[in-house]
Amino acid sequence: MDEDFLPDTTDPLENIPEIAPNEAETLAYQHLIDRLEEIENLPTTDAQMKRDQRSQFVAVWSEVLQIPPSDAPSCYQKCTSLLSRLFKQNQIYIIRANTKIAREMCFACISQLTNSNISRFLKLKIEQQNLPDNRILKKNILHLLRIAAQTIALIPFAKVDDRQFIENHFELYTVLIEHIEQSMPEHCETKVEQGYILGDIALRALSLLWNTTDRTVLVPLLLRNDFVKKLLGWFAQASKLADTNNRPLISIVLNIARHDDGADELNKYGAIHIVKEYMKIKPAKPDNRSLAISMTLALLSTPEELKRDTKGMNNALNRLLQLVIDCSKNNRFRHEGFHVSEPLVILVKMFVVDERTLEYVLCHAETKPPSDPHSTIRLFITLLFKFTNALDVTNQIRQYTLISLLNIIWSISFQPNYASELTQDEQLMSIIEKFADDDQGKEVLEDYKPRSMESVKEAAHGILHNLNRDVKTDMILEKKKAYRDAHISDSTTKIQQKPSIMISYCHENNDFCTYVLEVLNKHNDVFNIWIDRTHCQGADDLWESIADGMEQASVIVCLLSNQYFESKSCRKEFIYATDSLKKKLIPILIEQFEPRGWLGIRMTGIKYVRFRGAFGSEQNKIIELSNTILATLSSQTLHDDNSYPLHSSHHVVSLPSPPPPQQQQQQHLSSTNSIQQISIVTLRPFNQWTSTGDDIHQWFAYHRLSNELRDLYDFQTGEEMLEYAKILVKDREQQMHIYERLFSKKYNGEELPPHEFNRFTLALEKLLRENLPPTTTTNPSTSKNSNICIIL
């Protein structure tokens, strides 16, 4: 919200007749009247004098408001008269240059709004509030609300004490929200079609909510007592309200959507549909509410929802980029009441998960003047130059803008075709390297940033890493080479060590990660576990520590979720592991998450384990995870010269015993007490397999095939496997269709992963090739016709 665009949509206040002071009042409160007259006559020749006059007045006013209006009517009259002159002589929002005074005035007004006289008044029914005896108190309340609304927009709320003050006075917001609720058309005694005018207190209360929610860090405080549900109820009635009366509603929704928790709460009540209905209301005069609508929908929609509405998404992207362009031309980086940081934050979110949006903004966005990839990238870089020193001053919005720009450039750096545009700018590279090397830990003042945004230092590291300019990453790779050389040359004295398992996860999935960690810790005699919780405490450089953990890991377990997908830090980790280090990965898919975009491409052919329900309820998945890790480590021991071998004493993993057919469905859904012990070791030669041993189970585990697939086929002997391999080779596609249906029926509609069936097919073909009888040459005229045709 622009401080020059503070809302005050209230109609002019009615005049209150002069009240003659009585003798009792004169005796008791003459000192207050005298002080008010002194304040009225203070010189106001410069800005500082005006500020002093306002501060002194607010202090006396607070004393007057503690007195019942009936006991001191002339004091109240003097306050309202002086207030009117103060507002005319010096606009209240000029004090934005002095946050300390704004804070004092705001908190003084909010404190007075919660005093007993005013609290009782605000809880009265509207008709009672308008009685003649209450009019003078009402006028003072309206002034209090006005000052609170305008000054709260000037406070950064970087201090915990400031946020605590609002939380301690939340009862005021509860009362005001209820007052607005009762003022809405649906509570009107007569039928309302359109043009309904809210009461003046309701309008001032909306102004206070508008500017309170503009302080994003305060949004969670307002997500109580069904406020969002009530807000959307007001929004649904907007078509019946007078045009100026419904204007604050879309801004309040937009402000709440800027916080991840607020967006989640809005979506819980179907906000997208309600906002789209609001779009149909045509404003009496052109204003910026259509832009606010576009920004709100962009914040509330998922990438999939935006893709389904290509026209709507393109229009939103056009307007967002245009707003950035227009703001960049203003010396205060503002346009139509919006600061440049607001569209930038939305672009950060849209770029992080859907590369098509980035491509559209860079190459196809429709703006005035027309833009192209070069001009758009230069726009972001030039803005970054203007905000480079944001961390050196206590200006919250400048710091927020800097973080947004770094995150946008980070998103651009993931695209190789735009890398040269960034690397050729040596000034840009110098600034990015400075941020990456800054160990002072300075960060944005506001104690909140969206999930889609990373810190200044993290973004700078990410940019350099993507552009192959990260010196520390090069040092890590050099350490890797030296480590390997030492490992090979010292083979005679090499000490057996346990391999390392690294866990890569998003901190929003912290609870799930804890469950996984508990399972893996049960095998700590076989492998070590690397996780940032224990290995990055007090680390000077977090990325260097993480990269070192990935480098040393034999296997990396990735906990994949929407939050992981939307995190650029997690994206950097995953790409570094797959593209640079070529590490073995074991992805764990959480709930209904489906890999897509940059992640989906790299997931091709990788076996994963999915947990759809509560972690503890899926015992079969827990066992599958353990087996997959141990089988992968065993494979690494056999085939990776750079990996440490497992301990000579074979580790034992618990696997379910094959149940009778009638119990298979039940066992898939629940754990069983009937288990057998299976060692993860090198497979025995096929001719030594027995029908009563565990060779078939070991074969599935060795090839990283799930227990579900193993139990689905339920092979009893190795010969059965060879015979089926011949059928599979002959008609692979038909067999996949058959077992897709059987898999779905057996496992409650779950799909057979195609990549796993492909791995199963290749493993069976290999088993068949290795165990076919030697080919003999025969006379074609006398040989029997073969009943199969195998093409290898």
Side-chain angles (χ1 to χ4, degrees):
M1 170 61 62
D2 189 341
E3 293 97 332
D4 291 339
F5 195 70
L6 298 173
D8 183 23
T9 55
T10 308
D11 295 330
L13 299 174
E14 58 181 330
N15 290 323
I16 307 254
E18 290 288 340
I19 301 172
N22 57 53
E23 185 177 351
E25 179 189 7
T26 302
L27 290 173
Y29 304 115
Q30 184 62 47
H31 67 289
L32 293 177
I33 296 174
D34 292 343
R35 287 175 62 189
L36 288 169
E37 289 178 350
E38 290 174 5
I39 293 169
E40 185 177 10
N41 295 322
L42 285 173
T44 55
T45 54
D46 58 38
Q48 184 59 49
M49 288 180 176
K50 291 178 181 180
R51 294 186 192 116
D52 291 341
Q53 184 188 43
R54 283 192 296 269
S55 296
Q56 291 184 44
F57 168 75
V58 169
V60 178
W61 190 23
S62 298
E63 289 187 49
V64 172
L65 291 170
Q66 301 295 328
I67 308 167
S70 58
D71 293 348
S74 59
C75 287
Y76 275 86
Q77 184 71 57
K78 192 71 176 176
C79 285
T80 54
S81 175
L82 184 52
L83 270 167
S84 298
R85 279 196 287 276
L86 285 174
F87 273 100
K88 289 178 182 177
Q89 291 172 2
N90 40 49
Q91 298 285 326
I92 200 72
Y93 53 76
I94 293 175
I95 67 171
R96 68 167 175 263
N98 194 317
T99 302
K100 181 179 178 181
I101 293 179
R103 180 184 182 277
E104 291 174 354
M105 294 184 68
C106 177
F107 288 2
C109 290
I110 289 177
S111 295
Q112 292 308 312
L113 285 165
T114 57
N115 81 38
S116 57
N117 292 328
I118 295 176
S119 293
R120 281 194 296 270
F121 177 89
L122 290 173
K123 293 176 182 179
L124 293 174
K125 293 184 177 180
I126 296 173
E127 55 269 21
Q128 293 175 302
Q129 292 178 352
N130 292 322
L131 291 175
D133 292 344
N134 290 328
R135 286 162 61 191
I136 192 167
L137 180 57
K138 178 179 177 180
K139 188 167 185 178
N140 278 265
I141 292 172
L142 289 168
H143 279 304
L144 286 168
L145 286 170
R146 181 181 187 184
I147 296 173
Q150 294 186 335
T151 53
I152 201 169
L154 311 176
I155 306 171
F157 288 96
K159 298 178 180 178
V160 174
D161 289 347
D162 289 352
R163 299 194 292 273
Q164 188 64 47
F165 176 88
I166 298 300
E167 184 165 13
N168 293 343
H169 292 78
F170 184 75
E171 181 184 353
L172 169 65
Y173 286 88
T174 301
V175 172
L176 294 176
I177 289 167
E178 186 58 33
H179 180 87
I180 298 169
E181 177 79 7
Q182 296 305 316
S183 302
M184 282 290 157
E186 66 180 359
H187 294 288
C188 184
E189 294 181 358
T190 59
K191 186 176 180 180
V192 177
E193 294 295 339
Q194 58 183 6
Y196 181 83
I197 298 176
L198 297 171
D200 39 18
I201 286 184
L203 282 173
R204 288 278 166 89
L206 281 172
S207 294
L208 180 58
L209 286 171
W210 182 345
N211 282 352
T212 301
T213 56
D214 188 60
R215 307 293 87 184
T216 309
V217 73
L218 298 180
V219 167
L221 299 179
L222 296 173
L223 303 181
R224 305 176 180 179
N225 302 335
D226 289 332
F227 169 58
V228 167
K229 184 178 180 180
K230 292 174 182 176
L231 171 63
L232 292 176
W234 308 340
F235 213 73
Q237 301 172 66
S239 61
K240 298 179 181 180
L241 297 175
D243 188 61
T244 54
N245 284 205
N246 74 34
R247 174 65 184 88
L249 297 178
I250 181 60
S251 294
I252 295 173
V253 173
L254 171 59
N255 287 342
I256 292 175
R258 284 161 49 190
H259 195 291
D260 291 325
D261 293 345
D264 293 342
E265 188 76 3
L266 285 165
N267 280 326
K268 185 170 77 174
Y269 295 108
I272 292 176
H273 173 73
I274 296 172
V275 173
K276 287 183 176 178
E277 287 297 311
Y278 180 86
M279 291 175 64
K280 300 175 183 178
I281 303 174
K282 302 300 180 184
K285 296 180 180 180
D287 58 24
N288 61 8
R289 75 183 69 180
S290 62
L291 180 56
I293 291 170
S294 296
M295 295 169 73
T296 302
L297 291 174
L299 286 168
L300 294 178
S301 302
T302 64
E304 289 70 28
E305 289 169 332
L306 291 170
K307 287 178 186 177
R308 288 195 290 269
D309 181 15
T310 303
K311 182 178 178 182
M313 180 177 72
N314 291 349
N315 179 60
L317 292 171
N318 292 340
R319 301 196 68 177
L320 289 169
L321 183 58
Q322 186 67 59
L323 182 56
V324 174
I325 293 172
D326 293 337
C327 288
S328 68
K329 297 176 181 177
N330 181 277
N331 60 359
R332 295 184 62 233
F333 303 101
R334 296 184 181 278
H335 183 74
E336 292 190 352
F338 294 101
H339 186 267
V340 68
S341 62
E342 296 180 69
L344 289 175
V345 169
I346 298 174
L347 288 175
V348 169
K349 177 191 174 182
M350 299 181 77
F351 288 171
V352 74
V353 295
D354 186 7
E355 294 173 354
R356 196 197 74 80
T357 59
L358 174 61
E359 187 71 16
Y360 181 86
V361 166
L362 294 181
C363 302
H364 308 292
E366 299 173 5
T367 60
K368 295 179 182 179
S371 56
D372 56 32
H374 174 75
S375 64
T376 303
I377 293 175
R378 292 310 308 171
L379 170 67
F380 295 132
I381 293 175
T382 303
L383 276 171
L384 179 68
F385 292 162
K386 294 178 180 178
F387 287 88
T388 298
N389 297 325
L391 298 184
D392 297 331
V393 294
T394 55
N395 186 313
Q396 180 186 46
I397 199 166
R398 285 183 61 83
Q399 294 182 353
Y400 210 48
T401 306
L402 170 65
I403 294 179
S404 302
L405 288 165
L406 284 168
N407 275 265
I408 286 174
I409 293 173
W410 190 1
S411 292
I412 294 172
S413 72
F414 278 106
Q415 310 304 315
N417 46 327
Y418 303 124
S420 61
E421 186 79 30
L422 302 177
T423 55
Q424 290 174 7
D425 192 320
E426 288 303 323
Q427 183 183 359
L428 173 66
M429 290 295 98
S430 175
I431 290 172
I432 300 300
E433 288 169 0
K434 174 186 173 184
F435 284 131
D437 292 335
D438 184 4
D439 294 326
Q440 297 181 31
K442 290 181 290 187
E443 190 50 271
V444 67
L445 290 176
E446 190 170 23
D447 189 23
Y448 168 75
K449 60 177 180 288
R451 288 188 289 258
S452 55
M453 282 174 53
E454 304 289 353
S455 68
V456 166
K457 190 168 184 177
E458 182 65 30
H461 267 310
I463 295 167
L464 295 176
H465 176 73
N466 288 348
L467 300 178
N468 297 317
R469 296 283 292 261
D470 192 346
V471 176
K472 291 186 177 180
T473 299
D474 293 339
M475 291 170 60
I476 292 169
L477 292 174
E478 285 298 320
K479 279 199 305 181
K480 175 182 179 180
K481 182 177 183 299
Y483 176 80
R484 284 179 172 175
D485 292 343
H487 176 68
I488 294 170
S489 63
D490 197 29
S491 58
T492 57
T493 60
K494 180 176 62 178
I495 301 174
Q496 297 288 333
Q497 297 184 27
K498 292 185 291 184
S500 172
I501 304 293
M502 180 196 176
I503 303 178
S504 172
Y505 70 107
C506 180
H507 285 187
E508 276 77 7
N509 304 127
N510 210 36
D511 291 343
F512 188 91
C513 180
T514 298
Y515 295 133
V516 172
L517 190 59
E518 289 175 357
V519 169
L520 298 188
N521 276 329
K522 294 177 181 178
H523 306 293
N524 58 13
D525 58 324
V526 177
F527 50 74
N528 294 318
I529 300 171
W530 195 103
I531 188 169
D532 59 359
R533 298 180 188 178
T534 54
H535 288 73
C536 291
Q537 300 300 319
D540 292 333
D541 190 294
L542 182 62
W543 166 241
E544 184 174 359
S545 297
I546 291 174
D548 192 52
M550 298 171 73
E551 150 64 25
Q552 295 182 30
S554 299
V555 175
I556 299 176
V557 176
C558 302
L559 312 187
L560 304 185
S561 63
N562 276 313
Q563 293 84 0
Y564 190 100
F565 177 61
E566 294 174 4
S567 166
K568 286 191 287 294
S569 292
C570 294
R571 179 176 182 174
K572 180 171 75 170
E573 288 181 22
F574 197 95
I575 291 176
Y576 185 59
T578 56
D579 298 10
S580 299
L581 300 179
K582 311 296 183 185
K583 288 289 182 178
K584 291 285 187 180
L585 266 63
I586 299 178
I588 299 177
L589 272 56
I590 301 176
E591 296 178 346
Q592 305 304 316
F593 175 70
E594 295 295 341
R596 56 190 183 276
W598 65 266
L599 183 57
I601 292 172
R602 290 172 173 84
M603 281 281 291
T604 303
I606 300 179
K607 172 180 166 50
Y608 59 83
V609 180
R610 180 187 290 281
F611 285 82
R612 294 190 183 275
F615 188 90
S617 66
E618 299 197 53
Q619 292 298 318
N620 60 320
K621 295 293 185 181
I622 294 173
I623 294 170
E624 179 185 348
L625 172 61
S626 299
N627 283 339
T628 302
I629 292 173
L630 292 165
T632 303
L633 288 176
S634 178
S635 176
Q636 288 282 85
T637 300
L638 293 172
H639 303 295
D640 186 355
D641 292 336
N642 297 315
S643 299
Y644 285 115
L646 295 175
H647 290 301
S648 57
S649 57
H650 301 312
H651 189 64
V652 176
V653 181
S654 298
L655 293 173
S657 297
Q662 66 273 18
Q663 296 179 7
Q664 286 184 357
Q665 175 64 22
Q666 181 180 359
Q667 181 173 333
H668 176 70
L669 299 175
S670 62
S671 61
T672 176
N673 293 325
S674 176
I675 58 174
Q676 61 184 4
Q677 303 299 319
I678 299 207
S679 300
I680 302 300
V681 294
T682 306
L683 292 176
R684 296 197 308 164
F686 181 78
N687 59 11
Q688 297 179 17
W689 287 18
T690 64
S691 58
T692 58
D694 297 322
D695 300 293
I696 293 175
H697 283 198
Q698 288 184 338
W699 183 87
F700 273 86
Y702 178 83
H703 290 287
R704 301 175 66 201
L705 299 168
S706 68
N707 297 341
E708 286 90 345
L709 197 64
R710 182 200 67 201
D711 295 342
L712 179 70
Y713 279 93
D714 193 26
F715 293 121
Q716 299 299 308
T717 65
E719 286 72 20
E720 278 187 20
M721 295 176 68
L722 288 182
E723 288 302 316
Y724 179 72
K726 297 174 185 178
I727 298 172
L728 184 60
V729 168
K730 184 177 181 181
D731 199 344
R732 174 174 173 172
E733 185 174 350
Q734 181 181 1
Q735 289 301 307
M736 182 171 178
H737 290 323
I738 291 172
Y739 280 91
E740 278 180 335
R741 293 193 297 271
L742 293 174
F743 191 93
S744 178
K745 183 177 180 180
K746 182 178 178 66
Y747 299 126
N748 290 329
E750 290 192 23
E751 295 181 2
L752 172 63
H755 69 274
E756 183 172 3
F757 186 83
N758 180 61
R759 188 185 298 119
F760 170 66
T761 301
L762 295 175
L764 269 184
E765 288 179 358
K766 180 174 180 290
L767 184 70
L768 182 62
R769 285 197 304 270
E770 292 173 348
N771 295 281
L772 280 175
T775 304
T776 56
T777 304
T778 59
N779 188 327
S781 61
T782 60
S783 64
K784 294 183 179 180
N785 292 329
S786 173
N787 61 350
I788 61 170
C789 177
I790 302 177
I791 302 175
L792 300 179

